[in-house]
Amino acid sequence: MNDYLLPEGMTLAAAGKAVTELLEVRDRRSSVGERSYYDTFDGRLHEAGLLAVWEDDRLSLVELVGDRATAQAEIPKPTRPLFASDLPDGILRMALRPLLHDRALLQVVEIRSRERLFDVLDSERKTVVRMRLQQPALGRRRLRSRVHVVAVRGYDKALRRVGRTLADELGLEPTREPLVDEAVAASGARPGGMPPRIAVRLEGGQRAEAAAAAVLKALFGVIEANMDGALADLDSEFLHDLRVSVRRTRAVQRELKGAFDPVQLDRFREDFRWLQQVTGDARDLDVYLLEFEQMRALVPASIRPDLDVLHAVLARRRASARRRMVRALRSERTHRLLADWASFLDGSELGQGAGGEQAGTPIGEIAGERIAKVYARMVRLGDAIDAASAPAEYHQLRKQGKELRYLLELFGAPLFTGAVVKPMIKSLKALQDVLGRHQDREVQAATLRSLSGAVAAAADGSVALMAMGVLVERFEEDQLAARGEFAATFAVFASGRQRKLVQETFG
């Protein structure tokens, strides 16, 4: 980071005067500018060391540290969520697409700055360093004034020399916090976005009740953070991340149920099951529409346009499902559930002898026991599957796989050795991919059959039905292929070596 904070009380004019006395510079200009910074809700650009910056009718992809623009496009200032597909064809769209995937760019913060720009020159009066003196503000709130310096390519030594001068001669304090992070924090938001996954520090000897509550609080934070975006339909990942955290919450409620008062927990388990149900249709239809072009590519090119009718039917179904979901999420039942759950996790009931019979048991003991038991259950279920097994048997194994995955990620990773947990998660993911394809293709085929009446009633519905028939055949073929891949992936997951490691680590 090549930013230096001005001492309290030093004005931009005083800093500029000092710079001109200590360094050979060319005074370029003074200006007042506004920059709007954009990122996804979960900070995908920030994680990649980048930010999207809109200024002067131009959106630029900028290095977070170096402030160098790597791609640009002229567009009006975004007034709604901006997807990569909304951008004109060009380098910026190509650069953002693999970073954003299905997420939208949202305005993170807008900063207004008084600025003074300098070129730092060498003995031959060549520009070697560019310097920006900034007095930034967030609305009416002033932020710390700073100097940002960046080297012209090939002049890194000159940059280090300028940095020493600013620090030693002017007493400027180097900072590793980008201006945008300072502004985001000042606005009350979280720099770098809201990650969908949680990482809670746990100790093996910690009371199970306290450890479970800490994990559940973190999951609740993700649910709350994504609620507004899910309601507003800013992008599909808000609902996805909310639902994943609901599923993880339910898994903790099931697997560590002995840590909590059973009467209280039963009521919450029922309400969280309802919350998952009322958001399910909208999410399923999101996935159909997000993956529609991939589905379209499964049929011959000559009949792909015929599936437009199916797309329109799915879009109408999604709109209807979202209306039902929004009513449910804004209902008194949801508000009461979230308020009561927050009170329960923060309340005096925890740690005051009101928990379950395993409340005081060390979390390492309970987590290890549950991981070992769910793994053993999966091995039994998988061993029983053969070519004649019903789809329900695959689905049951998949559900247990999700349970084990959540246990490993939420409790296994922080409590047990990564040499066992990481390979176990890797083999489990591979198995889940196969089981997921098997289940998804069955459900997708059934869904298309259920939509045949609505499609047939539309104009050009008959040709769409024919294309849908071909698509169903492709789904069934892929489901059969997933069955063929099952034995090999399960063999890795249930290998003798892995069984031994599970027994030694968790048993």
Side-chain angles (χ1 to χ4, degrees), residues 273-291:
R273 181 170 60 251
W274 171 81
L275 185 59
Q276 188 171 342
Q277 290 171 346
V278 298
T279 56
D281 286 348
R283 174 57 190 170
D284 290 345
L285 288 158
D286 274 349
V287 173
Y288 280 116
L289 292 171
L290 289 168
E291 297 180 354

Side-chain angles (χ1 to χ4, degrees), residues 380-386 388-400 435 438-439 442 483 486:
R380 288 196 303 272
L381 290 170
D383 281 339
I385 289 177
D386 57 26
S389 293
E393 295 180 57
Y394 288 87
H395 183 48
Q396 181 62 26
L397 180 60
R398 185 192 186 196
K399 290 197 296 183
Q400 290 299 311
L435 294 170
H438 184 276
Q439 174 70 10
E442 181 188 16
R483 280 187 174 237
F486 169 76

